[in-house]
């Protein structure tokens, strides 16, 4: 079973992508994506993006649609990966790449280069945000000036960040709290 999402802006504006209907998969709603990409409007062009826990793949795909140079999507669920692969093929793009695997394990190695923008929207109620933020920082996935978008449960404890990170923007939508952070 699949569901669909509409790309909001850019090159693929109004195109629909399908995603696997999987328990716990919560694609970022259109109004939240619109806010996020308004926040990123001066940072997105030419950016290298990383979408951790990609799920539907919509954040990385939307980023490339809006002018990012590339997006690497990390997802472990086989059905979600199949839907993301189909979306990438339908868009006929080489700028979106998918890496299937456990994000916690994959982030424990250093990338060739750090990323300009990171989307972090882990499964809820698993306490993954702090661990992933620590790995992004410790292994060089982010560099000075990197922007990191984080979604977590609205009722979760305060977002703990490394001392060289700061929150630029924050907002709530329903049960979700979302933040745009920057690494100094």
């Amino acid at each position: 079973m699949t569901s669909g999402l509409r790309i909001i802006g850019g090159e693929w504006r109004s195109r629909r992508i399908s995603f696997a209907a999987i328990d716990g998969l919560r694609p970022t709603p259109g109004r939240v994506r619109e806010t996020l990409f308004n926040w990123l409007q001066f940072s997105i062009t030419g950016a290298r993006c990383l979408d951790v826990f990609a799920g539907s793949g919509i954040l990385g795909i939307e980023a490339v649609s809006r002018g990012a140079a590339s997006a690497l999507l990390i997802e472990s669920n086989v059905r979600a990966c199949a839907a993301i692969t189909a979306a990438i093929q339908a868009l006929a793009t080489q700028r979106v790449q998918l890496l299937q695997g456990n994000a916690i394990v994959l982030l424990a190695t250093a990338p060739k280069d750090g990323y300009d923008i990171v989307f972090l929207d882990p499964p809820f109620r698993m306490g993954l945000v702090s661990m992933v933020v620590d790995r992004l920082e410790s292994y060089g996935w982010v560099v000075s000036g990197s922007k990191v978008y984080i979604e977590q449960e609205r009722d979760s404890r305060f977002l703990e960040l490394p001392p060289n990170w700061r929150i630029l923007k924050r907002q709530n939508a329903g049960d979700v709290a979302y933040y745009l952070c920057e690494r100094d």
Side-chain angles (χ1 to χ4, degrees):
M1 184 173 193
T2 61
S3 297
L5 287 169
R6 184 177 59 83
I7 299 169
I8 296 170
E11 174 184 353
W12 301 315
R13 182 172 197 235
S14 298
R15 297 274 307 263
R16 291 189 67 77
I17 65 164
S18 295
F19 66 92
I22 300 167
D23 280 348
L25 191 139
R26 311 165 284 94
T28 302
R31 65 188 171 117
V32 174
R33 277 186 283 131
E34 189 66 46
T35 298
L36 166 61
F37 286 100
N38 284 341
W39 290 349
L40 291 172
Q41 66 182 322
F42 300 113
S43 304
I44 198 78
T45 302
R48 293 183 65 241
C49 300
L50 174 66
D51 189 351
V52 184
F53 305 105
S56 67
I58 193 65
L59 293 177
I61 290 169
E62 182 90 37
V64 171
S65 179
R66 291 174 180 251
S70 64
L72 174 62
L73 284 54
I74 299 175
E75 177 54 51
S76 63
N77 186 285
V78 174
R79 286 179 43 226
C81 286
I84 292 169
T85 299
I88 293 169
Q89 290 172 345
L91 295 169
T93 183
Q94 299 294 313
R95 296 180 294 154
V96 180
Q97 300 294 316
L98 174 63
L99 182 57
Q100 184 176 348
N102 182 314
I104 302 300
V105 173
L106 293 170
L107 293 175
T109 59
K112 181 179 173 191
D113 295 302
Y115 287 82
D116 304 304
I117 298 173
V118 177
F119 302 108
L120 174 54
D121 180 9
F124 279 5
R125 311 274 179 243
M126 296 181 74
L128 295 172
V129 171
S130 296
M131 180 188 314
V132 173
V133 164
D134 180 60
R135 292 199 176 186
L136 291 171
E137 178 65 29
S138 298
Y139 290 94
W141 292 89
V142 290
V143 295
S144 180
S146 291
K147 306 281 191 299
V148 182
Y149 170 75
I150 300 172
E151 278 188 32
Q152 68 176 14
E153 308 90 334
R154 187 176 187 169
D155 62 356
S156 65
R157 60 190 178 99
F158 184 73
L159 182 63
E160 294 179 29
L161 299 173
N164 59 332
W165 289 37
R166 62 190 171 109
I167 297 173
L168 299 175
K169 307 268 187 181
R170 72 176 83 191
Q171 212 160 5
N172 297 315
D175 295 334
V176 177
Y178 55 103
Y179 308 83
L180 182 63
C181 306
E182 182 177 51
R183 183 186 184 275
D184 292 335

